């Protein structure tokens, strides 16, 4: 009986890693194209954007919150990045869009921490606000930025690593450090465990919540900036479903939506698990609707595997 329990604990603690390995092995046999350098490079680049969103979502979920506005951040930051560059701002455009994303996140944090608006409602409202602003800004044709410095940078490489992947690695290292080696990270876990206990322990809960939403907003916006570089244009038609993919990656990675738990490594594995699964289904010629079914099944299985006894 003890051995079964130990096996159960091992599977529970390492579900996302086991699932990742199994899906990777399956993919190798399912399509001869999967293991080609070109395809693996595509998987890494495409899913680096989702992974960055997932890491931002992880920090928010650890506090017991959630953010439904990820896709709208991506949408408006794609539009603003292209628009500002088209307007001749140059490199300042990138800093301006990053600052705006940080600001929007801080506004959400203020609503949650000080106005006591439920995260679900606050971020649902922000979804509508940011999407509306994106469409208002993006009146007329898509804003093309072909041949400018940003698409060249994003579509290039840093130290032989595709730029989006390099940025994702940097974000991963920073988030890993914040969550595991700083007082701020320990505070986020404490808030997710019990806000009142965290407050009594001397943690400024309100300030932490504003900060974590601001960081999340910046990372979601960063994903939008990267996407603008990949598309070489700004369009308000992107971003739909990004919040669901981010939440799914965190949940598959074993984090609890009630807060207090979450792993940077497992969240990254969760993001790429979904990416590899969708990639191999595309290679196998499986239509988009069945893909949605498989995706949902993976999420349910992950929740069941990770839930407490």
């Amino acid at each position: 009986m003890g051995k079964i329990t130990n096996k159960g604990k091992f599977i529970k603690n390492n579900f996302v890693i086991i699932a990742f390995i199994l899906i990777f092995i399956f993919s190798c046999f399912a399509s001869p194209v999967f293991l080609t350098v070109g395809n693996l490079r595509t998987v890494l680049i495409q899913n680096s954007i989702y992974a960055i969103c997932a890491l931002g979502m992880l920090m928010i979920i650890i506090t017991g919150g959630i953010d439904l506005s990820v896709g709208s951040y991506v949408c408006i930051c794609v539009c603003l990045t292209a628009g500002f560059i088209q307007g001749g701002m140059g490199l300042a455009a990138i800093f301006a869009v990053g600052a705006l994303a940080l600001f929007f996140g801080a506004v959400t944090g203020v609503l949650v921490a000080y106005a006591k608006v439920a995260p679900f409602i606050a971020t649902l409202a922000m979804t509508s606000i940011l999407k509306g602003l994106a469409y208002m800004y993006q009146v007329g044709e898509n804003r093309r930025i072909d041949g400018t410095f940003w698409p060249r940078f994003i579509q290039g490489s840093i130290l032989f690593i595709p730029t989006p992947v390099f940025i994702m690695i940097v974000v991963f290292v920073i988030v890993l450090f914040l969550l595991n080696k700083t007082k701020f990270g320990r505070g986020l876990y404490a808030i997710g465990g019990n806000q009142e206990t965290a407050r009594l322990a001397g943690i400024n809960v309100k300030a932490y919540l504003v900060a974590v939403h601001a960081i999340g907003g910046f990372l979601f916006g960063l994903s939008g900036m990267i996407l603008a570089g990949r598309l070489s244009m700004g369009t308000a038609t992107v971003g739909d479903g990004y919040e669901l993919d981010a939440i799914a990656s965190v949940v598959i990675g074993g984090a609890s939506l009630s807060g207090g738990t979450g792993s940077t490594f497992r969240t990254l594995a969760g993001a790429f698990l979904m990416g590899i699964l969708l990639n191999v289904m595309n290679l196998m010629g499986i239509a988009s609707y069945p893909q949605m079914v498989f995706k949902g099944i993976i999420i349910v299985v992950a929740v069941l595997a990770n839930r407490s006894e």
Side-chain angles (χ1 to χ4, degrees):
M1 191 72 176
K3 289 184 179 179
I4 296 175
T5 303
N6 290 337
K7 285 181 180 178
K9 286 182 179 179
F10 178 81
I11 292 173
K12 178 180 182 298
N13 293 334
N14 298 280
F15 169 79
V16 67
I17 306 299
I18 295 170
F20 181 90
I21 293 171
L22 291 176
I23 288 176
F24 189 89
I25 293 172
F26 167 77
S27 301
C28 294
F29 289 100
S31 171
V33 181
F34 176 75
L35 270 183
T36 60
V37 174
N39 184 63
L40 292 178
R41 188 176 189 276
T42 299
V43 170
L44 282 171
I45 293 173
Q46 286 181 343
N47 290 284
S48 59
I49 295 176
Y50 295 108
I52 291 170
C53 288
L55 291 169
M57 183 68 76
L58 169 67
M59 299 181 75
I60 294 171
I61 285 179
I62 284 173
T63 66
I66 197 164
D67 197 322
L68 303 179
S69 58
V70 178
S72 294
Y73 275 96
V74 172
C75 175
I76 194 168
C77 288
V78 165
C79 295
L80 292 176
T81 300
F84 288 177
I85 291 174
Q86 196 181 66
M89 287 182 65
L91 186 60
I94 305 305
F95 291 101
V97 175
L100 284 171
L102 197 73
F103 170 75
F104 290 134
V107 170
T108 300
V110 169
L111 290 174
V112 172
Y114 290 93
K116 301 297 182 184
V117 179
F120 181 90
I121 300 300
T123 58
L124 191 63
M126 190 58 73
T127 298
S128 182
I129 291 169
L130 295 180
K131 197 73 171 179
L133 288 173
Y135 276 105
M136 289 168 62
Y137 183 77
Q138 194 69 26
V139 174
E141 296 182 359
N142 295 331
R143 299 170 186 266
R144 304 294 312 188
I145 52 172
D146 310 76
T148 60
F149 76 97
W150 190 242
R152 286 198 300 268
F153 173 68
I154 292 298
Q155 294 170 21
S157 300
I158 300 175
L159 301 176
F160 305 105
I161 302 172
T163 301
V165 180
F166 185 88
I167 295 173
M168 178 202 70
I169 293 170
V170 171
V171 170
F172 170 79
V173 171
I174 292 172
V175 173
L176 180 67
F177 177 78
L178 281 176
L179 291 179
N180 294 285
K181 300 296 182 180
T182 68
K183 179 182 176 182
F184 178 72
R186 291 190 292 273
L188 296 183
Y189 282 107
I191 291 169
N194 188 302
Q195 278 198 22
E196 183 59 22
T197 302
R199 187 186 67 81
L200 293 173
I203 295 172
N204 189 335
V205 174
K206 292 180 179 179
Y208 273 55
L209 289 177
V210 173
V212 78
H213 279 90
I215 294 170
F218 175 79
L219 292 180
F220 306 149
L222 176 60
S223 297
M225 289 186 274
I226 294 171
L227 186 58
R230 290 198 65 214
L231 296 174
S232 296
M233 69 176 184
T235 173
T237 60
V238 298
D240 292 343
Y242 274 63
E243 58 282 339
L244 299 180
D245 287 324
I247 294 168
S249 299
V250 177
V251 170
I252 291 171
S256 169
L257 290 178
S258 60
T261 62
S263 163
T264 317
F265 281 105
R266 291 191 175 95
T267 295
L268 193 66
F272 278 96
L273 183 152
M274 297 299 293
I276 289 173
L277 181 64
L278 295 179
N279 175 258
V280 74
M281 285 193 289
N282 284 329
L283 294 177
M284 293 170 66
I286 298 175
S288 59
Y289 295 132
Q291 288 186 26
M292 294 168 66
V293 174
F294 285 114
K295 191 174 177 181
I297 291 172
I298 290 290
I299 294 170
V300 171
V301 171
V303 171
L304 292 176
N306 289 317
R307 70 179 180 179
S308 302
E309 293 295 332

